[in-house]
């Protein structure tokens, strides 16, 4: 029987850096850089982007469905592991995972470092890229699902369903981490959209106007 929790449960034989303490070991001289984790940010987008590109253009390079299927699944698997275990932890301070206790019960853990000190170290550019990549790619796969369904391409439909499952798992997990494991998903999505709209509205109101001033000395071209 599975249950969801937000408790910090230690991993067995986990010799990695403790969750939330990654940036404490980082050189302070790189804190002012635009991207503090450039390689992580790159691979956060690379694997999922490569899977989409291969799916769209695989017919140009090979007529073998098996070859295309294998390469897309490999990139999707690499993306799932990278986003779940690395980029979410480093870019936004979120992590979700599963463990089985001594009674054989499966527990899903959704962790979030919400301390003010940690949040102040999160790079806003990387945070924006993380969420854009996490949300946009499932939308692309959803479009491919409709194309394959109405085109009666059932063998490609299986591949698209695998992609949707892997992408949706990470999206669902990180929404749970960000908004709380006990909150309804629809409510979380609504709160997320409200937050984004509010931020955009504030940016528009606080952004200085770049419109040129109206001319002051304009002489009429003709008088009736």
């Amino acid at each position: 029987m599975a249950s969801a929790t937000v408790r910090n449960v230690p991993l067995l034989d986990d010799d990695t850096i403790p969750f939330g303490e990654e940036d404490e070991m980082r050189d302070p001289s790189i804190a002012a850089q635009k991207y503090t984790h450039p390689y992580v940010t790159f691979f956060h987008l690379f694997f999922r982007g490569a899977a989409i590109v291969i799916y769209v253009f695989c017919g140009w390079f090979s007529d073998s469905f098996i070859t295309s299927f294998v390469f897309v699944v490999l990139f999707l698997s690499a993306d799932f592991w990278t986003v779940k275990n690395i980029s979410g932890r480093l870019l936004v301070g979120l992590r979700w995972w599963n463990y089985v206790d001594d009674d054989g019960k499966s527990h899903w853990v959704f962790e979030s470092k919400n301390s003010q000190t940690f949040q102040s170290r999160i790079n806003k550019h990387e945070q924006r890229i993380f969420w854009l990549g996490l949300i946009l790619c499932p939308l692309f796969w959803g479009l491919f699902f409709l194309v394959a369904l109405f085109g009666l391409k059932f063998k490609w439909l299986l591949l698209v369903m695998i992609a949707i499952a892997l992408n949706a798992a990470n999206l669902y997990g990180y929404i749970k981490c960000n908004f709380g494991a006990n909150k309804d998903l629809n409510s979380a999505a609504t709160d997320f959209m409200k937050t984004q709209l509010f931020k955009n509205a504030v940016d528009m109101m606080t952004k200085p106007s770049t419109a040129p001033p109206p001319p002051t000395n304009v002489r009429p071209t003709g008088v009736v």
Side-chain angles (χ1 to χ4, degrees):
M1 181 177 181
S3 62
T5 180
V6 292
R7 293 184 294 111
N8 287 329
V9 181
L11 291 171
L12 297 178
D13 300 327
D14 187 6
D15 58 354
T16 59
I17 302 173
F19 179 56
E21 299 181 8
E22 298 88 350
D23 286 350
E24 294 180 3
M25 305 181 66
R26 179 161 46 90
D27 186 355
S29 63
I30 66 174
Q33 295 181 1
K34 185 175 182 180
Y35 296 101
T36 53
H37 305 92
Y39 295 108
V40 176
T41 305
F42 170 77
F43 283 106
H44 174 72
L45 298 176
F46 173 75
F47 288 125
R48 54 183 46 215
I52 292 176
V53 170
I54 293 175
Y55 176 82
V56 174
F57 298 105
C58 60
W60 292 14
F61 305 100
S62 174
D63 294 329
S64 172
F65 170 76
I66 299 299
T67 301
S68 303
F69 185 95
V70 169
F71 273 99
V72 172
V73 170
L74 284 176
F75 276 102
L76 287 172
S77 301
D79 168 70
F80 178 82
W81 185 89
T82 301
V83 174
K84 179 180 180 297
N85 297 294
I86 299 179
S87 63
R89 175 175 177 164
L90 295 178
L91 301 185
V92 292
L94 304 175
R95 181 174 68 167
W96 66 275
W97 48 286
N98 173 271
Y99 75 98
V100 179
D101 60 18
D102 295 336
D103 297 328
K105 294 182 179 180
S106 178
H107 298 268
W108 292 94
V109 183
F110 303 93
E111 298 178 308
S112 174
K113 289 296 180 181
N114 292 322
S115 65
Q116 186 175 0
T117 302
F118 184 83
Q119 290 296 322
S120 64
R121 293 198 299 264
I122 292 181
N123 186 288
K124 299 304 179 183
H125 297 286
E126 294 177 344
Q127 185 182 44
R128 188 177 300 109
I129 290 175
F130 174 85
W131 286 109
L132 284 176
L134 202 66
I135 295 172
L136 291 180
C137 288
L139 296 180
F140 280 110
W141 286 112
L143 178 62
F144 298 152
F145 176 85
L146 295 177
V147 173
L149 178 63
F150 290 107
L152 302 180
K153 300 178 180 179
F154 296 111
K155 61 180 182 181
W156 294 103
L157 195 62
L158 173 63
L159 178 58
V160 174
M161 292 174 64
I162 294 174
I164 291 176
L166 294 176
N167 279 261
N170 268 326
L171 178 60
Y172 179 82
Y174 282 118
I175 288 178
K176 284 282 215 179
C177 292
N178 197 42
F179 295 100
N182 296 321
K183 179 176 284 191
D184 180 73
L185 184 58
N186 292 330
S187 177
T190 302
D191 290 346
F192 179 77
M193 293 301 298
K194 288 180 179 178
T195 302
Q196 295 301 315
L197 290 174
F198 177 76
K199 288 182 179 180
N200 292 337
V202 171
D203 291 340
M204 292 177 62
M205 288 186 294
T206 57
K207 185 180 297 183
S209 176
T210 58
T216 56
N217 298 322
V218 179
R219 301 180 63 184
T221 57
V223 179
V224 180

